[in-house]
Amino acid sequence: MSIAPRQEPCVGNASVAGNPRPAKQLLRRSKQFVGAQVLRLARCFLYHLHSACLFTFSDLKTIVGPKSAFGVVSVLSASVFGIKPIPPPSWVVYRIPLVVFWTWINLLPFVIDNQRQSASIREDSVNKPWRPLPTKRVTQAQARYMTLTLYPIALVASVLLGGVKQCLALMVLGFWYNDCVGADSNFVVRNFINACGFVCYTSGAMEVALGRPLPQNTILNQWFFVVGAVVFSTVQLQDMHDQAGDALRGRRSMPLVVGDAPCRWMTAGPIIFWTWFCPWFWSLGGGAYGAPAILGGTVVLKMLKQRTIKDDTITFWIYNCWLVSLYLLPMVKRYGVAQ
């Protein structure tokens, strides 16, 4: 008579079947690990997003806000530029976040590339010590990596949203301004690059708001030329409150080259001229001169009379409001407001 061999119980299966604690503990630990990784990534993302906002904070009032406004109000005034078909206002409102994002994402790599330069770090340690590089929140190597990463991202965004030509032009201008020291060696070149950059931002923002390539017509090209000329002849106002930092880095800005007082008078004249010329360009009535005249007059008076760093900073804010009042003139023409 044969005896069947004795089978040993499967200890592992028995313990899992009889005691589900190890499986629950493994699941709980897995959830904790995944949660910790998600939290770490979220903190990292928020940290770098905060850094990006610090990089662009000073330019929100000069680039992101005014140029986005230009794009939106220009499309709302499409008929005065001969643009057909005219998009409905609801379409333009829907695209406002896209316009702001396009302007910001094209600005971000430029300002990071600018602020990562050794001379810029020395300047910012005096003028803007809260920026990421003076506070060592970001290293120069990290800033360079961010620049090289963000330029392609800006190009992809432009392919999807519009403004590809403007994006490519901004890359060239950024290289000239930052890496070829175009902003430091000559204030005429500095103003020219700034003027070209402003036209790229305004036309790109307008194209994104429109949702299709801008038409090539005389009135639109003339208005872009006027905008560029306004910036070229007056943008040195941004250098008035930065003279200490500019001197530290050896930048030949207009106030340092021609002198503080002469620069102020040389800026006041063009502001007065453009305050008259831009409403005249659009054949507007006397009421349309009101806002540009009030803001432009305030800029001129404060610039000539109040010359502390704090005063010049406030004057530059008002100057940007004056620029926006000029950007609004096509809408005044379109809707017949204040004519």
Side-chain angles (χ1 to χ4, degrees):
M1 182 170 106
S2 62
I3 301 175
R6 180 181 178 185
Q7 295 184 354
E8 295 292 334
C10 181
V11 176
N13 292 340
S15 62
V16 171
N19 184 9
R21 288 183 180 178
K24 290 183 177 179
Q25 290 176 353
L26 180 61
L27 180 61
R28 184 170 60 253
R29 289 174 181 174
S30 299
K31 290 181 177 179
Q32 290 174 347
F33 175 78
V34 171
Q37 294 302 309
V38 171
L39 183 61
R40 185 181 67 84
L41 290 174
R43 287 176 176 172
C44 183
F45 173 77
L46 292 175
Y47 181 88
H48 289 297
L49 180 62
H50 185 203
S51 298
C53 292
L54 291 174
F55 274 118
T56 57
F57 179 76
S58 296
D59 296 289
L60 296 179
K61 65 181 181 296
T62 58
I63 302 294
V64 178
K67 306 326 167 201
S68 298
F70 180 99
V72 172
V73 301
S74 296
V75 174
L76 290 173
S77 315
S79 61
V80 303
F81 295 109
I83 296 175
K84 295 181 181 180
I86 300 174
S90 58
W91 166 263
V92 182
V93 172
Y94 163 75
R95 294 187 67 84
I96 288 177
L98 302 179
V99 173
V100 174
F101 175 75
W102 182 91
T103 308
W104 183 78
I105 198 62
N106 277 277
L107 171 69
L108 182 58
F110 168 80
V111 295
I112 294 177
D113 191 29
N114 176 262
Q115 294 174 32
R116 75 175 180 83
Q117 310 292 331
S118 297
S120 295
I121 296 174
R122 290 195 297 271
E123 177 188 4
D124 287 341
S125 65
V126 175
N127 291 339
K128 302 176 180 71
W130 45 265
R131 280 181 167 173
L133 284 154
T135 59
K136 303 193 183 305
R137 181 183 180 90
V138 175
T139 66
Q140 283 182 282
Q142 290 172 329
R144 176 171 174 76
Y145 175 79
M146 293 169 69
T147 300
L148 296 175
T149 302
L150 286 166
Y151 268 127
I153 292 175
L155 182 58
V156 171
S158 300
V159 170
L160 297 175
L161 301 177
V164 174
K165 291 184 292 185
Q166 292 87 342
C167 174
L168 294 173
L170 286 168
M171 291 182 185
V172 175
L173 292 170
F175 179 75
W176 186 7
Y177 191 95
N178 295 320
D179 299 280
C180 298
V181 202
D184 295 347
S185 57
N186 187 298
F187 69 82
V188 176
V189 175
R190 174 177 170 81
N191 282 20
F192 177 76
I193 298 175
N194 273 301
C196 293
F198 273 49
V199 172
C200 288
Y201 283 116
T202 52
S203 61
M206 184 176 178
E207 185 167 310
V208 174
L210 185 61
R212 61 180 186 270
L214 295 177
Q216 294 298 317
N217 61 53
T218 302
I219 187 66
L220 187 58
N221 291 334
Q222 287 178 344
W223 183 231
F224 285 140
F225 179 81
V226 170
V227 169
V230 171
V231 175
F232 175 77
S233 59
T234 62
V235 75
Q236 62 269 12
L237 188 60
Q238 70 180 345
D239 297 323
M240 302 307 299
H241 63 279
D242 281 342
Q243 293 184 60
D246 287 342
L248 183 64
R249 67 176 292 165
R251 172 178 285 161
R252 294 178 58 81
S253 65
M254 189 172 179
L256 295 177
V257 173
V258 305
D260 182 87
C263 181
R264 293 175 187 272
W265 284 102
M266 293 170 67
T267 306
I271 290 177
I272 295 171
F273 172 76
W274 295 118
T275 297
W276 164 80
F277 178 85
C278 290
W280 175 86
F281 175 86
W282 289 108
S283 302
L284 297 174
Y289 290 77
I294 292 172
L295 292 169
T298 303
V299 171
V300 169
L301 290 175
K302 283 186 62 63
M303 178 177 57
L304 295 177
K305 296 293 185 180
Q306 301 174 350
R307 305 188 178 191
T308 67
I309 294 177
K310 182 178 179 181
D311 289 328
D312 285 335
T313 302
I314 296 173
T315 302
F316 186 54
W317 273 86
I318 304 172
Y319 165 81
N320 283 283
C321 295
W322 172 73
L323 285 178
V324 173
S325 73
L326 301 183
Y327 298 162
L328 291 172
L329 293 176
M331 180 175 284
V332 176
K333 176 73 172 181
R334 166 67 178 82
Y335 295 100
V337 180
Q339 291 199 52

